[in-house]
Amino acid sequence: MKVISSRQNPIVRAYRELAQEPDSAGVRLLLDGAHLVREARDAALRFESVVVAASRLDQETEEGIIAESLEHAGVDVVAASDRVFEAISPVRTPSGIVAIAHHHSTTADAILEQARLFALVVVDVQDPGNLGSLMRVAEAGGVTGVIVAGESANPFSWKAIRGSMGSVLRVPVARSVSIDTVMQRHPQDKHESHRGCSTRRLGSGCRRLVRANRAAAGRRRTRPERACRRRIGRTREHSDGRAGRIAQRGDIRRHHHLRRAPARR
C-alpha cells in the first residue's frame, strides 16, 4: 500500500478542492467515515481513490479492515500519516478513512417521469446538515426521488452526504433551478391536493409548493379545507381568486368575540 507523507501531494489537493467545491452534478462524491465508505462499497459505486490514516492500519480497526478489503478488490488505496490525514479530512476530528466515489447522477425530469411517483421537493433549505436529514427521512418514508430547488444547499456536499447517512447514495437526488420549474414540468393530473390542511402551519417552502399545486390544478378549496381554515384564522381572497395570506388572528381559543352573548332579560 502506498504511503503519502507530504501535504503537497496531488491526492491531498484533490480532496481539499472537492471539499471546498462539491460537484454540482453529483458525480464525484467526497465520503468521510467508515460508514459512508462501506455504504458506497455495498452500493457498488466506483472508487476514484481511498485514503486511510496510517495509525488505523497498525491495529485491527474498522477503517483498516475496509481499506484492506477495497485494496484486495482493486481499488486505489493509499495510507497517509496522521498529520497529512488531518489536511485531507474535511472534519475537525478525522474519522480515519475518506474516499472519492463516482455516483450515477440523475435529473429532475427523470424523477418526475417515474410511473409511481412519490417525490420530495425541498425548497430553500440552506443548511447542508438539515438537507441531509431530510434526505434520510425521505428514504425512510419510501420516496422515489428528491428534488432540491431554490436557494438550497448542495445535496452532494460532504456535509449533506454525512447528514443523510448514505441515503443520497441510494435515493435519486437531483437539483432544480426553482420550484416553479418543477411544477411546470410536472403533469397537472399528478398533483397532490393537500386536502384538509392549512398552509399556515407549514414552512415557507411547503406553503409555496401547496399554492403552486393548487394553482396548477385550477380548483377551489374544498369544504374540509374551508372549515379547517376557519378554525385557525380568517382567510382573505384576492380579486383574482388566489388565496391570500392568512391574517394572524390567533387560534380559536382566543376568539372570545365569536361566542354567543347571553340573552338579556
Side-chain angles (χ1 to χ4, degrees):
M1 184 180 298
K2 180 181 176 181
V3 180
I4 56 177
S5 56
S6 173
R7 295 191 177 188
Q8 306 302 321
N9 192 285
I11 295 179
V12 179
R13 184 164 55 253
Y15 277 83
R16 293 176 67 89
E17 289 177 355
L18 187 57
Q20 296 174 0
E21 296 291 338
D23 187 0
S24 59
V27 177
R28 299 175 71 241
L29 304 180
L30 175 57
L31 310 176
D32 179 83
H35 173 74
L36 291 177
V37 177
R38 185 176 61 252
E39 291 287 340
R41 181 194 62 185
D42 296 342
L45 297 187
R46 184 174 70 85
F47 287 93
E48 179 179 316
S49 65
V50 177
V51 181
V52 60
S55 59
R56 304 301 175 97
L57 298 174
D58 298 336
Q59 51 188 346
E60 188 175 354
T61 61
E62 183 180 9
E63 294 81 11
I65 295 174
I66 294 175
E68 292 178 357
S69 66
L70 290 174
E71 186 181 27
H72 293 328
V75 179
D76 183 17
V77 181
V78 299
S81 63
D82 291 347
R83 184 179 66 86
V84 175
F85 192 84
E86 289 179 357
I88 295 176
S89 177
V91 298
R92 293 183 178 178
T93 305
S95 58
I97 187 170
V98 293
I100 296 178
H102 287 202
H103 179 252
H104 300 288
S105 62
T106 185
T107 62
D109 290 339
I111 293 176
L112 295 174
E113 290 173 358
Q114 299 180 35
R116 299 180 61 86
L117 177 62
F118 179 38
L120 170 66
V121 180
V122 182
V123 184
D124 297 339
V125 178
Q126 299 181 357
D127 185 84
N130 293 342
L131 179 58
S133 300
L134 286 174
M135 291 188 289
R136 185 174 72 248
V137 174
E139 183 190 20
V143 302
T144 58
V146 177
I147 300 176
V148 181
E151 300 297 328
S152 297
N154 190 336
F156 307 114
S157 65
W158 68 268
K159 288 184 178 180
I161 296 173
R162 188 167 183 170
S164 72
M165 297 296 290
S167 294
V168 70
L169 305 177
R170 297 179 292 269
V171 177
V173 179
R175 302 183 69 182
S176 180
V177 178
S178 65
I179 182 62
D180 297 330
T181 303
V182 176
M183 303 311 298
Q184 290 173 3
R185 295 176 180 177
H186 188 19
Q188 294 185 7
D189 56 350
K190 292 185 179 180
H191 284 292
E192 295 289 344
S193 58
H194 293 83
R195 295 188 177 183
C197 68
S198 171
T199 59
R200 179 187 176 188
R201 295 184 177 180
L202 301 176
S204 60
C206 294
R207 284 200 299 269
R208 290 169 58 187
L209 178 58
V210 171
R211 287 199 295 267
N213 280 345
R214 286 172 177 162
R219 67 172 183 86
R220 298 180 64 85
R221 292 189 183 85
T222 60
R223 182 176 297 177
E225 285 179 305
R226 292 195 297 270
C228 182
R229 288 244 175 171
R230 283 196 298 268
R231 287 194 300 269
I232 297 176
R234 296 172 60 185
T235 304
R236 295 179 302 177
E237 297 290 338
H238 291 305
S239 59
D240 58 359
R242 292 180 298 179
R245 298 188 60 179
I246 303 174
Q248 303 295 329
R249 304 296 185 187
D251 56 30
I252 194 171
R253 291 172 304 200
R254 292 162 52 189
H255 289 180
H256 57 85
H257 60 282
L258 297 179
R259 299 175 184 173
R260 180 176 298 178
R264 296 182 179 180
R265 296 183 178 178

